[in-house]
Amino acid sequence: MPIPNNGLITETNRQYYEGAQGFIGDAVEQSFLTTFDTDLVYGSYDPNDIDYALNNYKLYTSSTGFPGSFSEVVAGYSVIGNAIVFSFAPSAGDYIIVQLKKLDGGNYGTTFAEMAYGNTVENNYGSYSYITLNDIVNNFMVAYVGVGKLISDVKRTDIIFHAKRCLQEFSYDTLKSIKSQELNVPHNLSVVLPQDYVNYVKISWIDHLGVKHPLYPGGTLTINPFENPIQDTSGVPIQDNFDSNIEGDSLTERRWDSNNIIHQLQNFYNVNNQMNDWNNYGIDNYGYGRHYGLDPQYANINGYFTINEREGKISFSSDLIDKLIVLEYISDGLAYDMDTKFPKLAEEAVYSYILHAVISLRIGQPEYLVQRLRREKTAKLRNTKIRLSNIKLEEITQVLRGKSKWIKH
């Protein structure tokens, strides 16, 4: 295999962009080692086997190599490590293609069903700018632990713990850990929080032109009660046979869900007694900008949302039903354990964080050393924030040109 980019990267262009690697049979060899950055995941070669869906690739062969002549291999092979192992030696001159699953199906296979649809290839795009948590731990053990080094001995489990804590702390305000989901608001006006959700950054609804319209929390307008005990006529909560309070539906949520803001707006001028209910909401048709004492937090025509901690959902106001929304949120980055990735721009700051954490928790360490490592950790974290802020002078200059505008009244 040719060495791409003088050895700076490990995959060929074909492997990276197309997600494919080819071999030629010689009637002798039965094993063919793949060199993707992505490991092969093997469930079964049989499409009728339920484990077949676990495969992150498809295997094709052709006797001619002509486009459209490839057919999927559905028997007679296994995967050991990243090697394809046949139970027989493919004929001399046979073309063998390993195609990682790809959104557009790749260039191999003769029918729609045989094409390798998935997103394995796309998940690898841009991965060179990251380093895995496992590599961070291994590099730290090699560079910072040993005889004559600052840390003479430490358990690998301790390093893993501090590395994970570092990832969590960095994820909140340093790393690019903002994820996003595109969702539709169903008729129950609630969507489930993502599995790795820690806190939201921004929620917007998307119009037919793809433009974002920011939503704001309605926590001061309404609330999602955490408990809704059913009461008797004296107001005392009623218990079940297991001495636990019987829970009912939230009347607050039900009233908020049925509060059709759009309908209320359309009928405002025909129903005078609604003025007291909507006077301070700051909604456009209700005199937005004209009522004395307008509260800016309600000066919003886009809609509202609340975080329903009881159900683990985000609830929306009724005017957002069937709208397309984008949820931007923070994750702690630990969803994939040791395969979790750090940006390479933050690598040195991670090592400093772990080094300070290990030394500061040990008995008998000189305080000047602990403080030196703390200052070093802080300085490298500051440098990392500057690097990851992605500030471009040309872009800032373009924005600042707006300061020269004359605003006419």
Side-chain angles (χ1 to χ4, degrees):
M1 183 188 76
I3 299 176
N5 200 21
N6 297 319
L8 293 178
I9 54 179
T10 57
E11 286 187 321
T12 63
N13 289 339
R14 186 187 187 190
Q15 287 176 298
Y16 180 75
Y17 293 106
E18 181 58 29
Q21 184 174 352
F23 305 93
I24 297 179
D26 59 2
V28 177
E29 293 292 331
Q30 294 181 244
S31 177
F32 300 87
L33 179 64
T34 63
T35 55
F36 297 109
D37 282 346
T38 302
D39 293 333
L40 297 183
V41 177
Y42 173 74
S44 173
Y45 59 74
D46 184 2
N48 297 317
D49 190 334
I50 191 172
D51 290 334
Y52 174 81
L54 299 175
N55 295 358
N56 67 343
Y57 70 94
K58 284 194 177 183
L59 182 64
Y60 301 101
T61 61
S62 169
S63 59
T64 64
F66 294 144
S69 67
F70 287 88
S71 59
E72 184 180 357
V73 180
V74 293
Y77 80 90
S78 60
V79 174
I80 300 177
N82 286 321
I84 302 292
V85 181
F86 289 89
S87 58
F88 58 92
S91 301
D94 278 3
Y95 292 84
I96 303 165
I97 298 294
V98 182
Q99 170 71 66
L100 297 181
K101 289 187 175 180
K102 200 168 184 285
L103 287 175
D104 61 7
N107 294 329
Y108 304 95
T110 57
T111 66
F112 179 86
E114 290 175 347
M115 299 185 76
Y117 282 92
N119 63 349
T120 304
V121 176
E122 286 77 8
N123 285 341
N124 194 42
Y125 290 163
S127 62
Y128 191 73
S129 60
Y130 293 89
I131 183 171
T132 66
L133 181 62
N134 189 55
D135 288 338
I136 286 282
V137 174
N138 290 339
N139 293 347
F140 186 89
M141 296 293 290
V142 170
Y144 294 91
V145 181
V147 178
K149 298 179 181 177
L150 201 57
I151 302 176
S152 59
D153 184 42
V154 66
K155 294 181 179 178
R156 181 181 174 84
T157 52
D158 291 346
I159 302 302
I160 293 174
F161 168 78
H162 291 303
K164 287 185 174 182
R165 285 294 303 125
C166 175
L167 178 58
Q168 285 180 291
E169 292 299 323
F170 280 24
S171 294
Y172 301 141
D173 57 9
T174 304
L175 303 181
K176 297 177 182 178
S177 300
I178 297 177
K179 297 185 177 182
S180 58
Q181 284 190 356
E182 182 181 276
L183 304 165
N184 283 289
V185 179
H187 282 231
N188 66 358
L189 299 173
S190 295
V191 297
V192 178
L193 293 172
Q195 287 177 290
D196 57 343
Y197 172 90
V198 174
N199 195 7
Y200 73 87
V201 175
K202 182 188 296 184
I203 303 178
S204 311
W205 74 269
I206 310 299
D207 64 19
H208 66 287
L209 296 176
V211 177
K212 293 198 308 181
H213 298 263
L215 306 179
Y216 293 98
T220 53
L221 289 176
T222 187
I223 191 173
N224 299 105
F226 195 80
E227 294 184 358
N228 304 300
I230 296 177
Q231 300 165 281
D232 60 19
T233 55
S234 301
V236 178
I238 301 174
Q239 287 76 42
D240 57 20
N241 294 334
F242 301 98
D243 296 333
S244 297
N245 289 342
I246 300 175
E247 296 283 336
D249 293 335
S250 170
L251 295 178
T252 303
E253 293 174 3
R254 190 185 304 174
R255 291 175 182 178
W256 177 253
D257 290 345
S258 62
N259 177 11
N260 192 326
I261 294 179
I262 295 177
H263 177 74
Q264 297 279 9
L265 292 176
Q266 292 172 344
N267 292 279
F268 167 70
Y269 292 107
N270 297 325
V271 185
N272 294 328
N273 62 7
Q274 289 182 353
M275 173 62 79
N276 291 332
D277 294 335
W278 294 91
N279 188 42
N280 293 321
Y281 280 24
I283 299 177
D284 196 29
N285 290 357
Y286 280 88
Y288 167 61
R290 288 177 285 177
H291 292 299
Y292 176 78
L294 173 69
D295 192 338
Q297 66 179 317
Y298 301 131
N300 170 33
I301 194 63
N302 295 328
Y304 301 93
F305 70 90
T306 57
I307 304 298
N308 191 333
E309 301 287 355
R310 184 182 78 256
E311 298 181 359
K313 297 179 179 179
I314 302 176
S315 300
F316 297 91
S317 53
S318 58
D319 54 327
L320 293 170
I321 191 169
D322 293 327
K323 290 285 182 68
L324 180 67
I325 65 156
V326 170
L327 165 64
E328 299 174 68
Y329 67 97
I330 295 176
S331 170
D332 65 2
L334 295 179
Y336 297 101
D337 200 36
M338 296 301 287
D339 291 331
T340 301
K341 296 179 179 179
F342 281 94
K344 287 184 177 179
L345 294 176
E347 185 175 355
E348 191 63 28
V350 174
Y351 296 142
S352 294
Y353 180 100
I354 299 174
L355 185 61
H356 171 262
V358 172
I359 294 297
S360 64
L361 293 177
R362 291 197 165 186
I363 298 176
Q365 296 296 325
E367 187 60 26
Y368 74 87
L369 176 61
V370 175
Q371 292 304 317
R372 179 174 68 84
L373 295 177
R374 183 186 63 80
R375 289 192 296 270
E376 182 178 326
K377 178 193 72 171
T378 303
K380 290 183 178 179
L381 176 59
R382 182 170 58 251
N383 290 341
T384 297
K385 288 183 177 181
I386 295 173
R387 291 172 178 174
L388 294 177
S389 63
N390 205 26
I391 296 174
K392 302 292 189 293
L393 181 59
E394 183 177 355
E395 296 173 4
I396 293 177
T397 303
Q398 184 69 14
V399 173
L400 292 179
R401 287 194 178 108
K403 294 183 64 177
S404 62
K405 289 181 179 179
W406 284 62
I407 301 177
K408 298 182 179 180
H409 295 279

